[in-house]
Amino acid sequence: MSDITEWFKGLPLFTRWWLALTAGFSLLGRFGIFKPYQLVLLYEPFIKQFQIWRPATAVFYYPLTPSTGFHFLINCYFLYNYSLRLETGTFDGRPGDYFFMLLFNWACCVIVGLIADIPLLMDPMVLSVLYIWCQLNKDVIVNFWFGSQFKAMYLPWVLFAFNLIISGGGILELVGILVGHVYFFLMFKYPLEFGGPTLLSTPSVM
């Protein structure tokens, strides 16, 4: 137990809390302490009934059932792995910038979720962070299932195709890719590669 505690305490701040809140809310929903209906993003309760917690809990909560447990663990692995790499890599020593990136991606996921009626935001939020890391490390070779290897820039699209073929999904992955691309384009690609003005910057208060 002490080894797990030390590992958890050694995680960077935002990755640690994101992972902990995800596990916590998902388990609370699984054991009925919170009703799952109260944790997901729904337009009418959020807008008309002013249930302002829903955009946050929709990111952290994921319904745990025998058929979704494996997907949840895969999401937690991607969350841990790529949030950790970003927070200790590109954003090392810049916690305010990383927090702003998470807030921007979260806000975009919430907006798309309300428009497209997406009640659970864990998938697109995790994919958005993964996409940003992959774009910042395009030529890094990553490992996938069955020993396959390819450049990081292809990983988000491989995950999209995999979910499309296996489960008939893919929409949530596309939303995550779109959100991640918006942040990457505005923060890095447009001002650095195209010489455009800085359209997105971390507020000074952060």
Side-chain angles (χ1 to χ4, degrees):
M1 181 63 71
S2 61
D3 292 339
I4 296 177
T5 302
E6 290 301 317
W7 165 80
F8 181 73
K9 289 182 178 179
L11 295 177
L13 177 65
F14 296 109
T15 300
R16 180 170 71 245
W17 280 104
W18 187 4
L19 187 62
L21 289 170
T22 296
F25 274 102
S26 298
L27 289 173
L28 289 172
R30 174 67 178 87
F31 293 114
I33 298 174
F34 289 150
K35 294 181 179 179
Y37 175 80
Q38 296 175 333
L39 302 176
V40 299
L41 182 65
L42 298 172
Y43 181 84
E44 287 200 7
F46 173 54
I47 300 297
K48 296 184 178 181
Q49 300 177 25
F50 205 57
Q51 297 180 359
I52 59 175
W53 64 85
R54 288 181 179 271
T57 56
V59 171
F60 299 129
Y61 170 70
Y62 193 85
L64 293 178
T65 66
S67 61
T68 63
F70 181 70
H71 184 75
F72 172 76
L73 291 177
I74 293 295
N75 268 344
C76 286
Y77 168 76
F78 285 142
L79 186 166
Y80 163 76
N81 197 25
Y82 292 99
S83 178
L84 177 68
R85 292 186 186 189
L86 272 182
E87 195 171 356
T88 59
T90 302
F91 294 94
D92 186 31
R94 297 188 295 138
D97 290 332
Y98 189 67
F99 184 48
F100 176 69
M101 184 210 73
L102 292 176
L103 284 179
F104 179 86
N105 287 12
W106 167 73
C108 291
C109 286
V110 170
I111 292 170
V112 175
L114 289 172
I115 295 173
D117 194 23
I118 299 174
L120 299 169
L121 301 180
M122 182 183 184
D123 282 88
M125 187 67 187
V126 171
L127 257 293
S128 71
V129 171
L130 180 148
Y131 179 88
I132 292 169
W133 183 87
C134 289
Q135 290 302 307
L136 293 171
N137 300 271
K138 289 183 177 181
D139 296 324
V140 174
I141 302 300
V142 296
N143 298 311
F144 198 59
W145 288 6
F146 310 114
S148 58
Q149 294 182 326
F150 43 80
K151 290 184 178 181
M153 61 187 296
Y154 301 119
L155 179 58
W157 300 105
V158 170
L159 293 173
F160 162 69
F162 184 82
N163 279 283
L164 179 65
I165 294 170
I166 297 299
S167 63
I171 297 299
L172 299 180
E173 287 73 22
L174 276 181
V175 172
I177 290 171
L178 173 63
V179 169
H181 184 74
V182 169
Y183 177 87
F184 175 76
F185 181 82
L186 294 177
M187 183 62 78
F188 296 106
K189 196 174 185 67
Y190 185 64
L192 298 179
E193 295 187 20
F194 296 132
T198 301
L199 300 177
L200 189 66
S201 60
T202 304
S204 58
V205 70
M206 295 185 182

